[in-house]
Amino acid sequence: MAESTHGSDMATGLGLLLGLIAVIASVATAGTAYVSFLGDHSDTMQLISGLALTVALIGGCLAVVAIHIYE
């Protein structure tokens, strides 16, 4: 007999949440890099840009992992 399984709603929810975090962090990376280019506080903005990029990468990776775990 053929069985049909459904994906978990947790996969969709966590994937969307972590994907949204990745997108917001990516926008923050671009914004802080632009402010760093224009402003006098370039060292601080570069640090914040690096941290935002780290959050974006980790959020994107965790989104993929969550989708595969709860599939």
Side-chain angles (χ1 to χ4, degrees):
M1 289 192 198
E3 290 186 22
S4 175
T5 60
H6 295 100
S8 173
D9 288 340
M10 183 75 94
T12 304
L14 278 177
L16 287 174
L17 176 67
L18 292 168
L20 181 64
I21 289 171
V23 167
I24 291 170
S26 297
V27 170
T29 300
T32 53
Y34 182 71
V35 170
S36 171
F37 178 73
L38 294 179
D40 294 333
H41 306 288
S42 63
D43 292 338
T44 304
M45 287 295 115
Q46 287 180 357
L47 178 65
I48 294 172
S49 178
L51 291 173
L53 179 64
T54 303
V55 170
L57 290 172
I58 290 173
C61 291
L62 289 178
V64 172
V65 168
I67 289 171
H68 287 298
I69 286 176
Y70 291 108
E71 194 171 77

